[in-house]
Amino acid sequence: MLAIERKNEILEKLRAEQRVLVSDLAAQYNVTEETIRRDLDKLEKEGYATKTYGGAILGNSTKLDLSYSIRNKTNVDAKNQIALLASQLVEDGDHLMLDDSSTALYLAKKLKEKKRLTVITNSVELVVELSAVEGWTILLTGGRLKPEALALIGDQAQRMLRQYHVDKVFLSCKGLDRGAGATDSSEFTSLMKQAMLQGARQKILILDSSKFDKVSFINVAPLEAFDAVVTNTAPSEEWLEHFKARGVRCIYPTGG
């Protein structure tokens, strides 16, 4: 296994379990404890972990923009579940906007059997993923490249998004809180998502359950701005009541 693959798996374990032990990881990967400590050093420097005696705990990633290579390899099962559910909301011939989130990328992969879709996005990686699909119209915004996310941002990208009217927009965020609504880590990212929301008839938030009860740096939109939230596990009763009171449909694998 490559070092980057091991580091990504450790990050995924951190996100799932909130903490890891050096000794357990060394045994799992059949490497020295010093090798694992170096992996944790890198994760700590990148802001994803906080080292503790004998291990590490999850860092506050709600304040950070993870690189696309790490985002695409974390919470894979959850993203596949969300993508499958969200894909059922899309009909042949729909016009869509998809943001640059890894969850939207997983959704795009599930949509390839649909016909005559039009997809507008600021994600370079998503366009590459869909480049071989026949019969679709793919529009990539202009703008300034954000290398770590393989995404286009800025005024030019926002102006393009505001010109279009689509059936549905699918986007994610860093945190969803009953008071703060949907939040993200970057002003540029937030502005892109807001521009997408302006031109969509149906607004759908796609995010895994680890994002609930988290608040990131900057507001994206209040919960009421969305028609539906798609997630991978059943939210708490408090959240279900909150969705119901605001007229937001919550879709998850065992109900919704």
Side-chain angles (χ1 to χ4, degrees):
M1 175 180 287
L2 297 175
I4 184 64
E5 294 174 332
R6 185 179 62 245
K7 189 179 76 167
N8 288 341
E9 287 191 5
I10 293 172
L11 177 57
E12 186 167 359
K13 186 177 181 68
L14 269 170
R15 288 177 61 90
E17 302 178 10
Q18 306 298 307
R19 65 189 296 270
V20 293
L21 295 175
V22 170
S23 57
D24 290 348
L25 293 172
Q28 178 181 342
Y29 292 106
N30 195 28
V31 296
T32 66
E33 292 191 359
E34 184 59 33
T35 297
I36 297 298
R37 290 192 187 95
R38 286 197 294 269
D39 290 337
L40 295 178
D41 283 340
K42 293 175 183 177
L43 288 171
E44 185 172 51
K45 288 177 181 177
E46 294 167 354
Y48 308 142
T50 300
K51 289 180 67 179
T52 61
Y53 181 77
I57 59 174
L58 183 67
N60 191 352
S61 61
T62 63
K63 296 180 179 178
L64 299 167
D65 284 326
L66 308 184
S67 71
Y68 72 92
S69 60
I70 290 178
R71 288 184 297 138
N72 290 351
K73 294 178 181 178
T74 58
N75 290 355
V76 171
D77 290 342
K79 290 170 184 175
N80 273 319
Q81 286 181 305
I82 293 165
L84 180 60
L85 291 171
S87 68
Q88 296 169 14
L89 303 177
V90 177
E91 301 174 359
D92 291 344
D94 269 351
H95 290 69
L96 309 174
M97 284 186 184
L98 302 178
D99 73 354
D100 65 323
S101 65
S102 57
T103 310
L105 178 63
Y106 277 78
L107 171 58
K109 294 176 181 180
K110 299 290 187 187
L111 293 176
K112 290 182 180 180
E113 299 304 314
K114 303 287 184 180
K115 302 182 185 302
R116 305 182 313 279
L117 295 186
T118 296
V119 176
I120 304 170
T121 186
N122 66 316
S123 170
V124 176
E125 188 179 18
L126 194 149
V127 168
V128 172
E129 177 67 34
L130 297 177
S131 61
V133 180
E134 296 183 0
W136 287 23
T137 300
I138 311 294
L139 299 175
L140 178 64
T141 69
R144 176 169 61 86
L145 179 66
K146 188 178 181 183
E148 68 275 15
L150 281 184
L152 298 171
I153 57 174
D155 292 341
Q156 183 180 354
Q158 293 168 44
R159 285 196 301 271
M160 177 182 171
L161 289 171
R162 292 193 185 103
Q163 293 177 11
Y164 292 96
H165 301 275
V166 298
D167 297 298
K168 302 174 182 80
V169 61
F170 293 89
L171 58 83
S172 191
C173 63
K174 288 288 193 300
L176 183 65
D177 180 78
R178 288 195 286 272
T183 57
D184 218 293
S185 58
S186 160
E187 181 179 4
F188 291 114
T189 301
S190 176
L191 289 171
M192 292 297 295
K193 296 177 192 293
Q194 290 169 1
M196 289 184 171
L197 288 169
Q198 287 182 18
R201 183 169 56 85
Q202 294 183 43
K203 306 168 181 65
I204 303 158
L205 183 64
I206 51 176
L207 77 169
D208 67 74
S209 57
S210 70
K211 308 290 182 62
F212 280 72
D213 298 307
K214 301 288 178 60
V215 179
S216 193
F217 177 63
I218 190 166
N219 290 338
V220 174
L223 180 61
E224 296 88 334
F226 297 95
D227 298 289
V229 172
V230 184
T231 189
N232 60 301
T233 60
S236 66
E237 287 298 324
E238 291 82 1
W239 266 107
L240 290 175
E241 287 297 325
H242 192 71
F243 288 132
K244 183 177 179 181
R246 282 149 184 80
V248 178
R249 182 185 178 195
C250 183
I251 303 169
Y252 49 93
T254 58

